[in-house]
Every structure is written in C-alpha cells, then in structure tokens.
Amino acid sequence: MCRIQRNPIFFFLSLLGLVWFSSCKEGKPPQANQDISAWATVTQNPQRQLQTPIDPSETPPVLPPPDGFGSTGPEVRFGFSPIGVDRYRPLELVFSEPMNVGTVPSALTIRNLTTSTTITNYSLSWTSPVNLSIRFGIELAPNQEIEIEFATSARANANNTALLFFRRSFTTEKTIQVNRSLLVNGSQSYPVATNRGIVINQPTTTSLRLEGEVNFPTEVKEILLCKLGLTQSNHPQAVVCSSAVSTGVLICRDTCPSNFFHEVTSSAVIPPNVGTNLYYFRVETLGGNFYTFGIHFLYGNVAPSQTDSRNKVASLLLGQSMGINSVSGLITNFAKGNFSLFDTSSNSDKSLNEFVGKKTSTFPGAPCLAWPSTKLVNAPTPNKIDYLEKIGPFCGIEVTGTIFESASYPDVNYRAKADIYITNLVLDESSFPSGNPNLDFQFEVKNGILDINLYGKKARGKLAIVVRIEEIEFFDYLLANTLVFYGNSIPGTDGNEVGFALNEDPPTESARRAFARANLTVDSFGKANLIVSPFAFPNNFQQGIDCTSLPDPVPTAFVFQCNPFVTDWSNHIQVNAVTGTGAIAAIVADVVNKQIPTLKAKIVQNVLKDVAERVSPEILNNILGQLKSGIVVPLPDYLPSPLDKVSLRLNAQLEEDTVLKSSGSNFGLEGSLKASLLTCVKDSGNRCPWDLGYVRSTNPQSPYGSASYIISKSNTNTVLASNLSRASSSPGVLLNVHPDLVNQALYQLWWNGGFQFEIDQTFIQKINQFAGTSTLLRLTTSLLKADPIVTIFAPGQNNVTTSSGTIFPNDDVILSILPIQPIYVGVSPLSGSPSLEIPRINLSLADLEITLKAKKNDPSRPNCPGANCKDGSTYTIAKVRMSITSKATLDFGAYSLPSCEGSCTFSASILSSVGNPSLKLVTSSAVGDLYYLIEPLEGPSNNPMALRPQGIKEIVDPLVKSLIIPLLNNITRDIPLPKIRACGLDLFDLETLPIPGDSLEPYVLIHAKVQNILFTGSCRL
C-alpha cells in the first residue's frame, strides 16, 4: 500500500532543511550532501509524474499561535492539527520561548487513551530553540486518541520559569487499508499481496473479478480501479487516475461500501491483457489523502508444461544464396575428406567413401543367381559375396555372344545369365593441380524440387561377376555351371574381380556432370529425408538413353528425352582385362564388355543417389541434431551471483511442414521449428534443472492458479509468417522467433531463483566495473550507506532510534530482491501498415519485493556487548513492492569485452567469446516507455522501524531508474552466444530485421549470413 500525503511543499521544504542540518551532523561522509540532494529532488522531478502515480495534494494550513500565547508564562502548543494525525510523522510542538532542554524530557508524559496505556518508546529532538520534534519508535495504530502532557517541572531558559501545565490529545488518522482478492469464475478466490504470484489461465476463465474490502468506508470519498501504463481511452466510462500514467473506471463516489468489486473480463475500459496486468485501487479520503493498492497477476493461455518444446514457436528459412549453397560446399568439403560424418545407421564416423562403400553379404534374392557357395568357402565372409549395399547388384542380365576360346575353337556361340556386383568403389579425395576437388556438389531449389548437380573427375572400383551358362557349343561341361569371379586370391573362384575406372581417360583434369532431382521431407522426429525419384521430374524421361549433355541450369519444365542421371560420363569408363584363358575367361570378358556400357550409367547414378539420399540428409541432420540435443548459452561469468551461474539451453527441430520453396528470384528451404528455451540456475552441486539431483531454490513459491508461463500466440498451430520473399535480399538464414520462446526462458529464470539478488557494495562494484558511464547500465551508489534514511526520518540527528533498534548513518545497506510474480515479455502492438517496422518488446516485472536491510557496522556504534553494538549483524529497515512495465529493444551484434574500471580479469571463456554473435536486450527508462508503481509494506514484519511509508517510497523511488533498470540491462545488454558453427558451416553477422506492420502474429526476425569454414574431425555432437 502506498499513501500520498497532502503536503508535498512542506515535505520539499523539510528536505531542503535537512540538507542544511546535515552539514552539522557528526560522522557524515563527504559524499553525503550530494546523496541527500539527490534524494531531495525526487519529489520535484517533473518526469516522475509521467511514469508513476502521483495525485494532486493540498498543503495543510499553518496553525497560527492562539491569542496571548506565552503572555502569562512559558507555554507549549501543537504545531499540527489534532484531527487525523499521520501515524508515522514526528510530532512538532512549539514553545513560546526557549526552554531548558534538560528539564523537558522528564516533564513529558504520553498516553494512549484508547488503550489506556502509557507510551514510552519515543525520541526527542530540537529542530530549533522553540521547536521540539517527537518521533515514536513504534507504529501508532489508526484511529487512536493520544494524549500529550507537560508538567510544570519543565523550565524556560529565562529566569528558570516553570512551564504552564499542558494536557491535550489528538487522534491518529484512520489509515485506509484495502484487502484485495481475485475471484475466478465466481468460486475460486486468490488473495493478493501475498508471497505467491497469480497466473490465470484464460481459456478456462469465464469471469475475473477484482475485489476489495476497505476498513473505513465512511472516510472514503472516491475509489477508482486503474490500470498502470494505460494512458488514454476514448470510452465514456473511462477516467484519468493518476497524472498521465493510468486510466481506469469509477468504483464509487461519496458513499462507498466496505466491499466492492469490478468484473474486468467484461470491462470495456480496462479488460485484462495477455501477459502481466498491473491494476491498482486508488482511494481518496474525505481528508484529501490518496492511497494506492496494487492488484497484479498474469493472464493468458498457460503452457501445459514449463519445459516442453512447443510447436511452431519459431520458423527457419535457409535461402539459396549463402544458405543452400553453403550446404553444397559443405558436402563438397566432405567429399574432399576434410572431415568424417556420423552415420546414425552404424553409429560410427565415416568418410564419403565409407558411406558409398557400405557393404552387405546378404543374398539379394531373385532374380539374382544362387551363389556357388562351394567356391566361396574361403571368401572374407564364408560362402558369401560382400558387395555395395546401395549400388546394385545388377541381376538377371541375359547375354548371348560368340567367343574365341582358342585356335582350335575360334568361334564358340553361347547364351548365359549374368549378375554383376560392385564390390568396391573409391572416390578420389585429393585435389587436382587446379586446386579443384574431385567431386563438386551443387544444390539448387527449383519449383519445390531440389536440383542436384554432381561434377566429378575420377572414381575407381571392382566388379564381382556371377555367370550361369545356359547354352554353349563344344564345352558341354560348362552347361548349368555357375562361374564366379570374386576376390584377388580366393581359392576356388573362377577368377579375380574386374577392376574399372571412371573418367581416367583422358588423363587430363576434366569434370563430368551428373544431374538428379529430389524431394525433401521432414518426419515427426525432425529428421530430414531426401528422395531421388525420376517421377519427381515435371516430365518423365527416356530410361534407356543417356543424356550426353543438359542445359545449365536445367529449366523447371525441361522435357527430358534421355536419362539425366548420367550425362557426359557415358564414354569415359575403362575396364581392366579379365585375367585367365580358355572358355571361362572368354565368356566373362565378353559379358563385361557387353554390359559395362549399360552399367556405367547405373554406377554413377547410384553414387549420386547415395550422396543425395544418405550423405546429404546425414549432414543436415547432424547440424539440426545439435539444435535438437540442445545448445547451451551461459551468461557472462564476470556478473555477480547468481547471474554467473545462469545459462540458457535452446532445443529445436524442424517440423513436418518443412518444404522446398521458390518464388521468382527467391528460393529456399523453409519450415516451422518445434523449440524450447530453458534457463539453468546452477545449484550448489553445479547442476542444472535437467540434471539428476538438482536442488531448486526455496523461493519463489509456486503461484496461485497455474504454475507455468503465458503463451501469447493466438493459435499454437498457426505457422509464423513466411520470409521467402526476402531470401534474395537477405541471403543466408532467416529465423522467426515468437515471444513465447523468450517467456519460457524468463519463467524458468524466475522459477529457479535467477532473479533473486543480495545487492550490496560488492555486488554494485562488480557490476559497475564493467558498466562504463551509461545511466542505463551504471548502478547507483547513493544507497550503499544508511545516511539518506537517517537524514529523511531523523533530520538533525545522528541516528534513527526505534523500539526495534537504531539505524546508524554509516551502516552498510543491503537490498534483497525477490520477484513474487513471473517475469513476462510481450511485443508492442504493430502499426497495422504493410510497411516494415522493428517490433518493440514490452518487459514487465510485477511485485518485485525489495527488502532494505543494513549491517550494524557503523564505526560510531558502541562496542559489544550492549544494545545496538557494532556486531556486524543484519537488520531489516523496511520492505516495498515495485511493479514495472517498460519497452525494450532487441538486437544482435558482435560481442566485445565490456569497458572496465581498474584491474579486470576475464575468464578464458569470455575472452574466447570476443567477436561471437551477441544478443542485446536493452530496457528503456524514458518517459513514455517506463511506468512503475511503488508500494511500501506496513506492519511489524514489513516495517519494523515504524518508518513513514511515504518517506520509504521517496527513498526507493530513484532506484527504479538508477538500480533496477540498469541491473536488468547489465544482465541482457550483451550476452555472448557460442559461435554458431556446425560441421564447417558458420553463421555470422546476426542482426534483427523489421517485419511487416500488418503481421498477424508479432515475432522477432533474426538474419544471419552463412559461410563455409575449414573444418576437420568428426561432424557429430
């Protein structure tokens, strides 16, 4: 609760007086006068009324002395009106002449007539020779009658004259309190202003009623329900609440009930918004005082789980230029042997040759001839042939011919069936004199199909041949005999494997081209699949005719009059001579010579098919797999605790709507992302929430309602806007990120205690060491000591004495921060125009509880043992709750070391991050961007020193701009991301791009360029 007094002019003049008196106080540090001046200007800051509720006030009348005051002897009177006296302010008594100060304390008696008790917990101070200030060390209860009595034992300075007897009473103000609650669906009530936040699930909420109960309804003139940050409304029922920061509705006026409410879900003026809602009741009393009582909660579609990935919360476009072209270069580098690739089918790292050369010894079945197992007893796999799994076998080949067996049998006619197995294939990984690689892959998106061009120079391999003689002249013993040429030195076989070479002749470096088209799909596990299929072509092609040439590029609607898988490889294959003599060798040689012209196309075709269908998806899935398994991004470790223990983990996978797209000059691969962004605040065992045995902080407590974050996406199944039209102008990667992903991380940050701070001198110095001179980054040092508190609450005195202890000016101050409500970000409404604009982020923090504590370490404190001794223990001064909403900007850039004061040591991880991509989220403190509400908490546990709430508010108010906003900015202003690299792909020059103002779903658009870099080793996680 916050009360606004009627006397700001008096307060301002008092503060000016405090500055003057402070110069006489003992033990004041040299900086103190400047600090006090800073606090004194709080109430006259013209910007303040544009950012936080400030209501008009009246100056109380100055009470003139009664006629004849002091004419018959020394007298005393009240310097204040005795009706509705502030329960916290010191009482000002005025004497008619200077008094003997030593005789006054014993002559004074203060009684609580309402409770029939004597009050002894107070302190006296003389603010002038005739002005006595009485400050109570306890919190006076509201609506109490207090009596002041002075006996005649008090003496004046002049002639030691006795003070005339004085006895008079006053009544403390009827301080307004409003108990608040949220009534959901008419039955579920949640209390407000507790140690638990409130998260309301919109889909299950039909009514939401904000309820209040006021303790002194007869003292109330007017009650408004206001919404912070809603600065204007054209609705006829709308009212202006406080300065220019709030709009609201009238609850009651003149005659107000003790219980009142407003149904906000049906409100036309102040309906709840998705995200953080900052409402407050504004109560005006008949006496002209104003009170504010906050009602804060989160509202919207609540995520079913804090940690699960969400569908379509982001989307990715990999454009042709720099994107798909870089993937092509990556596969070419793989073909050069620069790195190995993790093969998920064998769970091992492989080179391209190992991928292409993957073998099997399983008999392929019909129409292949049965293997002559007796001839294969000594084979590497006994009784079997080891052959390439993906290339061939080519079985059921009918062959007829005439062979030369010998001079005796120069013309022997035969008919046979033949099976040809590719048993070995090697693609040259070396570069040629020109520097060009042996294999060069080029991918291009065409009309939703992926065109693949393979430019190759050399390949070598071996064939195993199985032949069964069906008919033959002269050599009847060979009938129905199965011959096998397999292995270089396998006893029992009929001959060695036959070696072959592609493109060895001519020997000069000359690239041959193979062409294919493929479809790309993504399954439900986020795995990419490329399928080469002739029927994916717009027009079918002639299977039996090899294309000797094709246009470059191949038009989308090109009519293929030939088989395009193999173009100018056709006449560039050589086969080693078949070793051996006689009919067997002659028949095998004849089979080879007749069939190689048809097999060469199939060999190259299947190499290309294997690369397209197996190697390319494996590379894509290895890269995407790193996102799916999670990329961890730590906050800079030079930040103070607990921020140095915070890291983010991004998990993402492509969804099934991922397709190849093209439009005009724009081409690319685009699809939605299923993603999660989790926050780790490491526990004492250095564990994250996803680690076994993680121990979570005891605070904050689980909110009322729902324990998860708010989803603002209107339809979880809606695909975010396509960026295909920008693929050419913004080459590389375009990534749409919905704020829901950020809110998941912020909820986790809140839930795991990542925004709980103990802010002391060490904390501030560690932040400021890297903050530079920017007011948006530098934390104030004006409240490192308790002196401003002493100055405001005990002007002219060296300390503030209360029943709960004494505040000394040089006690170190500690600010303990605990966010009660989850943190939330949204996007400001877009203009609705199709023109491009950068969306602005709205950041909201509700019920940020700040406890002002201090250490008993002022040098002027008495030595221990004893009351208020200098023992270094911590004591509580006051508690407030602060709620903030402000606009912020999100951008990306290159990380650089922060400016540093003094001697700075950066860890190796930070030094290695220089130049990495960097996320930059900067929260504004400007008028029109920032709105806030401060509520000092009352009661013995919250305000044990019985300090005036308005004074507490004046102390805390400057911290919004000088501490809280800079603290947020130091956390998020420059978060170094790891180099976004995978298997030789490097994303660089990250930036935020504008989006159309008429976008149905607001999002942040991130652009990154892509390049190939040198990479060796294994492309695996």
Side-chain angles (χ1 to χ4, degrees):
M1 183 275 290
C2 170
R3 183 185 69 173
I4 299 177
Q5 291 286 335
R6 299 176 55 192
N7 47 0
I9 296 178
F10 172 77
F11 181 67
F12 172 62
L13 294 175
S14 299
L15 285 176
L16 293 180
L18 300 184
V19 176
W20 180 79
F21 271 110
S22 68
S23 62
C24 303
K25 292 170 60 176
E26 297 178 1
K28 182 169 294 299
Q31 181 65 27
N33 289 338
Q34 297 178 26
D35 292 339
I36 296 166
S37 298
W39 295 109
T41 58
V42 169
T43 54
Q44 60 178 334
N45 184 350
Q47 292 186 350
R48 185 168 169 251
Q49 64 180 347
L50 301 177
Q51 295 185 303
T52 191
I54 297 178
D55 291 287
S57 304
E58 297 179 1
T59 303
V62 177
L63 298 181
D67 293 340
F69 178 64
S71 60
T72 58
E75 286 188 80
V76 65
R77 65 180 178 88
F78 285 169
F80 54 90
S81 171
I83 300 174
V85 173
D86 190 317
R87 298 183 297 122
Y88 297 97
R89 282 186 180 276
L91 302 179
E92 190 77 12
L93 281 83
V94 182
F95 291 85
S96 59
E97 58 184 276
M99 299 297 294
N100 182 337
V101 296
T103 63
V104 171
S106 59
L108 174 62
T109 303
I110 303 178
R111 305 180 184 89
N112 186 327
L113 301 182
T114 304
T115 60
S116 300
T117 57
T118 299
I119 299 175
T120 59
N121 192 343
Y122 58 85
S123 60
L124 304 178
S125 62
W126 292 90
T127 57
S128 81
V130 295
N131 291 86
L132 177 65
S133 177
I134 304 176
R135 188 189 185 284
F136 291 98
I138 58 173
E139 179 181 315
L140 297 180
N143 198 28
Q144 303 282 298
E145 185 179 4
I146 309 296
E147 182 182 75
I148 303 291
E149 177 183 304
F150 276 102
T152 57
S153 57
R155 302 286 173 164
N157 276 339
N159 303 318
N160 200 32
T161 307
L163 179 72
L164 295 179
F165 179 79
F166 175 84
R167 179 187 293 160
R168 191 176 181 187
S169 64
F170 63 88
T171 304
T172 58
E173 62 182 344
K174 295 180 179 179
T175 305
I176 299 299
Q177 294 289 339
V178 175
N179 292 326
R180 294 140 282 160
S181 61
L182 268 68
L183 185 66
V184 180
N185 296 336
S187 59
Q188 181 65 60
S189 181
Y190 299 132
V192 173
T194 69
N195 58 356
R196 296 175 64 181
I198 302 175
V199 179
I200 305 296
N201 190 20
Q202 181 181 5
T204 60
T205 302
T206 57
S207 68
L208 183 59
R209 197 163 81 175
L210 309 190
E211 299 183 324
E213 180 183 11
V214 65
N215 56 347
F216 293 115
T218 57
E219 299 295 314
V220 174
K221 177 181 178 181
E222 179 183 83
I223 299 177
L224 304 178
L225 177 61
C226 310
K227 194 167 187 182
L228 185 67
L230 181 63
T231 57
Q232 58 184 357
S233 173
N234 295 323
H235 197 278
Q237 294 180 351
V239 296
V240 176
C241 285
S242 305
S243 56
V245 303
S246 306
T247 300
V249 295
L250 177 67
I251 300 296
C252 61
R253 180 175 287 148
D254 296 332
T255 302
C256 289
S258 58
N259 292 280
F260 50 90
F261 65 87
H262 185 72
E263 175 66 56
V264 292
T265 48
S266 59
S267 175
V269 181
I270 50 172
N273 57 271
V274 172
T276 301
N277 288 264
L278 303 178
Y279 291 95
Y280 62 92
F281 286 120
R282 173 184 177 270
V283 181
E284 181 182 1
T285 66
L286 296 173
N289 289 329
F290 294 87
Y291 298 83
T292 57
F293 301 91
I295 308 175
H296 310 138
F297 58 92
L298 275 76
Y299 178 80
N301 187 4
V302 177
S305 167
Q306 296 181 20
T307 57
D308 287 352
S309 295
R310 294 205 56 79
N311 294 330
K312 296 176 175 56
V313 76
S315 63
L316 173 74
L317 172 71
L318 183 65
Q320 178 71 54
S321 177
M322 298 186 74
I324 292 177
N325 288 348
S326 294
V327 174
S328 303
L330 183 67
I331 297 175
T332 297
N333 288 337
F334 176 58
K336 290 166 61 177
N338 285 2
F339 59 91
S340 60
L341 179 64
F342 184 68
D343 178 20
T344 54
S345 63
S346 64
N347 200 36
S348 62
D349 294 321
K350 290 184 175 180
S351 66
L352 178 59
N353 279 319
E354 289 171 322
F355 264 99
V356 174
K358 183 179 180 182
K359 294 185 179 182
T360 181
S361 58
T362 301
F363 178 67
C368 295
L369 298 170
W371 291 340
S373 58
T374 57
K375 296 182 179 182
L376 296 170
V377 173
N378 297 308
T381 302
N383 308 115
K384 297 179 181 295
I385 298 174
D386 295 322
Y387 62 96
L388 300 192
E389 184 180 78
K390 294 295 184 178
I391 303 179
F394 310 106
C395 294
I397 302 170
E398 295 282 350
V399 184
T400 60
T402 301
I403 62 170
F404 176 84
E405 193 275 340
S406 65
S408 302
Y409 302 98
D411 297 300
V412 179
N413 296 313
Y414 77 95
R415 181 173 64 85
K417 282 188 176 180
D419 299 339
I420 298 181
Y421 294 83
I422 309 298
T423 58
N424 189 35
L425 183 65
V426 176
L427 303 170
D428 200 325
E429 293 181 344
S430 62
S431 294
F432 293 87
S434 65
N436 295 327
N438 181 40
L439 297 178
D440 183 12
F441 292 88
Q442 295 180 9
F443 290 2
E444 186 176 10
V445 177
K446 286 287 187 180
N447 197 31
I449 298 173
L450 192 65
D451 280 5
I452 306 173
N453 284 285
L454 168 60
Y455 293 91
K457 299 179 176 64
K458 292 184 180 181
R460 302 178 192 89
K462 290 184 179 181
L463 310 173
I465 301 175
V466 178
V467 178
R468 188 176 67 193
I469 308 298
E470 302 287 343
E471 296 179 8
I472 191 168
E473 293 179 316
F474 309 117
F475 299 97
D476 294 343
Y477 69 91
L478 292 177
L479 288 174
N481 190 7
T482 302
L483 313 176
V484 56
F485 269 55
Y486 173 56
N488 293 328
S489 57
I490 299 175
T493 61
D494 298 287
N496 294 338
E497 292 166 303
V498 180
F500 68 92
L502 295 170
N503 209 28
E504 291 283 2
D505 182 26
T508 58
E509 181 182 342
S510 179
R512 310 299 179 185
R513 178 186 178 201
F515 175 81
R517 278 182 168 153
N519 287 328
L520 184 143
T521 60
V522 173
D523 63 21
S524 59
F525 300 100
K527 186 175 181 180
N529 297 289
L530 274 172
I531 306 298
V532 172
S533 172
F535 304 105
F537 295 162
N539 296 278
N540 207 350
F541 59 86
Q542 298 296 323
Q543 291 272 12
I545 304 174
D546 289 345
C547 297
T548 57
S549 65
L550 284 175
D552 190 11
V554 179
T556 301
F558 185 75
V559 178
F560 294 94
Q561 301 295 339
C562 52
N563 181 346
F565 282 113
V566 182
T567 55
D568 47 12
W569 292 79
S570 299
N571 299 314
H572 299 282
I573 185 167
Q574 297 86 43
V575 182
N576 294 352
V578 176
T579 59
T581 59
I584 293 176
I587 290 172
V588 171
D590 194 55
V591 170
V592 169
N593 291 327
K594 282 185 167 64
Q595 294 306 313
I596 283 301
T598 61
L599 294 184
K600 61 192 174 193
K602 294 181 174 61
I603 293 170
V604 176
Q605 169 182 322
N606 282 277
V607 170
L608 177 59
K609 192 168 185 278
D610 207 39
V611 169
E613 292 187 348
R614 294 186 62 216
V615 175
S616 300
E618 286 289 355
I619 288 180
L620 287 175
N621 290 326
N622 267 270
I623 297 170
L624 297 172
Q626 296 186 51
L627 283 175
K628 186 175 180 179
S629 298
I631 295 177
V632 177
V633 181
L635 291 186
D637 55 15
Y638 53 75
L639 293 174
S641 181
L643 299 175
D644 57 348
K645 302 176 184 177
V646 173
S647 59
L648 304 175
R649 190 179 79 174
L650 173 65
N651 299 78
Q653 69 177 59
L654 283 174
E655 297 195 45
E656 293 174 88
D657 61 8
T658 303
V659 292
L660 297 159
K661 294 182 177 181
S662 60
S663 176
S665 61
N666 295 291
F667 309 93
L669 172 68
E670 187 169 40
S672 299
L673 288 174
K674 181 179 182 180
S676 64
L677 185 60
L678 306 181
T679 304
C680 166
V681 182
K682 292 182 179 179
D683 65 8
S684 58
N686 205 36
R687 293 166 298 211
C688 285
W690 46 83
D691 295 327
L692 184 65
Y694 177 73
V695 180
R696 180 189 161 270
S697 169
T698 55
N699 283 313
Q701 296 191 34
S702 181
Y704 290 111
S706 301
S708 191
Y709 64 99
I710 296 295
I711 303 168
S712 62
K713 196 163 180 275
S714 58
N715 187 333
T716 55
N717 293 319
T718 300
V719 177
L720 294 178
S722 172
N723 293 309
L724 181 62
S725 63
R726 307 172 78 166
S728 179
S729 59
S730 301
V733 171
L734 289 168
L735 177 67
N736 292 343
V737 177
H738 195 275
D740 288 351
L741 194 62
V742 180
N743 278 315
Q744 184 181 34
L746 289 175
Y747 188 93
Q748 291 271 308
L749 177 68
W750 168 78
W751 178 244
N752 292 317
F755 208 75
Q756 298 177 39
F757 306 111
E758 291 284 314
I759 300 179
D760 55 12
Q761 183 170 359
T762 301
F763 184 101
I764 290 177
Q765 286 176 346
K766 192 166 185 180
I767 288 282
N768 284 348
Q769 186 178 17
F770 307 105
T773 59
S774 171
T775 56
L776 283 175
L777 297 173
R778 196 165 187 84
L779 274 59
T780 181
T781 58
S782 57
L783 200 57
L784 289 176
K785 297 291 184 180
D787 186 75
I789 300 172
V790 174
T791 302
I792 285 180
F793 290 104
Q797 301 181 43
N798 287 330
N799 52 60
V800 179
T801 302
T802 73
S803 60
S804 299
T806 302
I807 305 173
F808 279 72
N810 285 312
D811 283 348
D812 288 340
V813 169
I814 303 168
L815 300 177
S816 180
I817 295 182
L818 173 65
I820 303 298
Q821 303 275 6
I823 309 168
Y824 181 83
V825 297
V827 176
S828 297
L830 301 173
S831 66
S833 166
S835 58
L836 298 178
E837 58 190 75
I838 293 286
R840 294 203 71 184
I841 306 297
N842 289 332
L843 177 68
S844 298
L845 288 156
D847 291 327
L848 193 65
E849 186 170 285
I850 302 176
T851 303
L852 279 75
K853 299 185 291 187
K855 283 185 177 181
K856 296 180 181 178
N857 58 1
D858 188 313
S860 63
R861 283 183 177 271
N863 293 325
C864 295
N868 297 310
C869 68
K870 185 174 52 182
D871 60 6
S873 62
T874 301
Y875 61 95
T876 297
I877 298 174
K879 288 184 181 181
V880 301
R881 287 204 174 172
M882 181 185 297
S883 297
I884 298 171
T885 179
S886 182
K887 290 183 172 58
T889 57
L890 176 66
D891 202 356
F892 288 85
Y895 179 73
S896 59
L897 291 178
S899 58
C900 172
E901 294 182 1
S903 176
C904 299
T905 301
F906 295 99
S907 67
S909 63
I910 290 297
L911 292 174
S912 64
S913 297
V914 174
N916 282 15
S918 170
L919 184 149
K920 303 174 187 295
L921 178 66
V922 178
T923 303
S924 172
S925 61
V927 171
D929 291 345
L930 170 66
Y931 299 96
Y932 61 93
L933 179 69
I934 298 174
E935 299 176 83
L937 304 181
E938 297 191 47
S941 61
N942 297 319
N943 188 10
M945 300 291 187
L947 302 178
R948 180 171 48 88
Q950 182 63 14
I952 296 172
K953 182 180 178 182
E954 299 298 339
I955 288 172
V956 173
D957 189 287
L959 299 181
V960 175
K961 290 186 175 182
S962 64
L963 185 74
I964 302 302
I965 297 298
L967 177 59
L968 286 171
N969 287 332
N970 273 282
I971 298 172
T972 62
R973 60 153 171 162
D974 205 4
I975 301 176
L977 306 175
K979 285 186 170 64
I980 308 176
R981 292 176 174 175
C983 307
L985 283 185
D986 178 39
L987 273 64
F988 65 102
D989 284 357
L990 271 70
E991 60 178 340
T992 305
L993 296 182
I995 67 173
D998 58 357
S999 299
L1000 297 179
E1001 287 283 354
Y1003 58 93
V1004 177
L1005 176 57
I1006 303 168
H1007 170 240
K1009 297 177 181 177
V1010 187
Q1011 65 183 357
N1012 293 111
I1013 59 172
L1014 179 63
F1015 173 74
T1016 58
S1018 171
C1019 180
R1020 62 185 300 180
L1021 301 181

